[in-house]
Amino acid sequence: MPSAGYRGRIAPSPTGYLHLGHARTFEIAQARCRAANGTLIYRNDDLDGPRCRPEFATAAMEDLRWFGIRWDEGPFSQSERLPLYRDAFERLRDAGCLYPCRCSRKEIAAALSAPHLGDEEPPYPGTCRSADPTVPRPGTNWRFRVPDGSEVRFHDGHFGEQKATAGRDFGDILVWRKDDFPSYQLACVVDDALLRITEVVRGADLIGSTFRQLLLHAALGNPAPAFYHCPLVTDEHGHRLAKRHDAMSLRALRAAK
Ligand code: GLU
């Protein structure tokens, strides 16, 4: 029986077939959870409507089971949890942490998905910071104001001490989009808190997101989980595996056996 203590999660995005890099990260997540006699939760990060497909969500579960990954709770699909994210957005907005942002940047379009290496938004220049949050026009995006100049630190279970400076290494965080969807950053924080995750195990390319998520956890009054980022699996040319590497997909490996 899992203990009431450790709660881990695996959170694939159903935007394509999973590859060996995912399998390795989730295997580490499973091993760390088992070593702690904990509970592993499956979260389906399917907010990115245009890119996510139900058949990829089904394939992800089948392929991970084939690979030997088992979970104790879920799947929880983010697309079915929108009221929970809205509630957190309203709390942050009512607490004065957010401002409406009318800038149209390509990063806003991409904010539904976790930003992997090279996809992170460059620090937002703060153009809309002085916008009055009490008179938002319909159809605005909302940003969380980061405390400029303050250092955010955490101890990573694999990489050790990590630190970044808010306002310099990353800027104001997009949390809500004008099409009425939460950003990945907000949805992830809300879920990790509500599902009582004690340790987040994920790829090293999300370390930059961790600093942002720690600020959102603090603003929402959540106890922050611990973090363990896994080294990324690369191909023979040293490139990070991505869903475009079809040959490394679990599907292809299953078919070849
Ligand atoms: N679903 C995200 C991804 O595929 C991972 C999110 C996370 O682990 O926080 O990269």
Side-chain angles (χ1 to χ4, degrees):
M1 276 296 278
S3 74
Y6 185 104
R7 288 173 66 83
R9 45 66 153 194
I10 53 179
S13 299
T15 55
Y17 292 121
L18 299 184
H19 54 65
L20 270 182
H22 297 110
R24 195 178 130 72
T25 297
F26 299 153
E27 194 175 39
I28 294 170
Q30 171 167 273
R32 292 186 63 79
C33 187
R34 283 205 181 141
N37 192 26
T39 302
L40 192 62
I41 290 127
Y42 191 107
R43 188 178 89 200
N44 177 32
D45 281 4
D46 63 346
L47 279 183
D48 195 348
R51 291 178 61 221
C52 295
R53 300 223 304 254
E55 57 271 33
F56 287 137
T58 307
M61 288 190 281
E62 283 172 11
D63 293 350
L64 289 175
R65 278 200 200 96
W66 168 79
F67 193 78
I69 307 289
R70 300 285 180 273
W71 48 93
D72 308 296
E73 291 179 20
F76 296 97
S77 288
Q78 291 195 318
S79 61
E80 292 166 8
R81 297 167 63 79
L82 293 171
L84 302 172
Y85 312 136
R86 171 164 273 289
D87 179 63
F89 157 63
E90 287 172 357
R91 278 168 51 212
L92 290 173
R93 187 195 56 198
D94 295 351
C97 302
L98 309 183
Y99 62 89
C101 175
R102 301 206 175 88
C103 297
S104 73
R105 291 159 62 102
K106 73 171 182 341
E107 293 81 11
I108 290 175
L112 290 173
S113 287
H116 292 278
L117 230 47
D119 296 341
E120 279 192 14
E121 183 181 34
Y124 177 67
T127 322
C128 294
R129 263 193 168 186
S130 56
D132 184 349
T134 57
V135 283
R137 286 203 306 243
T140 47
N141 301 296
W142 289 82
R143 283 185 189 271
F144 176 90
R145 194 182 290 102
V146 301
D148 280 347
S150 53
E151 208 165 70
V152 185
R153 292 170 173 266
F154 68 96
H155 180 86
D156 186 79
H158 180 83
F159 291 102
E161 287 308 309
Q162 303 292 313
K163 61 177 183 208
T165 304
R168 189 192 72 194
D169 297 321
F170 62 94
D172 294 344
I173 307 161
L174 190 86
V175 294
W176 201 264
R177 302 196 336 160
K178 64 180 177 194
D179 58 1
D180 222 17
F181 274 92
S183 67
Y184 153 75
Q185 303 293 358
L186 180 67
C188 181
V189 161
V190 169
D191 281 339
D192 285 338
L194 288 178
L195 298 171
R196 304 189 314 284
I197 302 303
T198 59
E199 182 179 71
V200 170
V201 177
R202 60 186 175 192
D205 52 347
L206 289 172
I207 289 180
S209 290
T210 298
F211 299 112
R212 296 165 168 89
Q213 293 178 9
L214 285 169
L215 290 178
L216 295 177
H217 275 303
L220 287 164
N222 301 333
F227 289 90
Y228 184 105
H229 290 88
C230 305
L232 299 179
V233 177
T234 53
D235 66 12
E236 69 277 24
H237 307 295
H239 298 134
R240 172 175 82 82
L241 289 192
K243 286 182 179 133
R244 63 181 179 277
H245 285 79
D246 288 342
M248 300 282 192
S249 76
L250 299 181
R251 270 284 116 147
L253 295 173
R254 278 175 73 179
K257 85 173 162 64

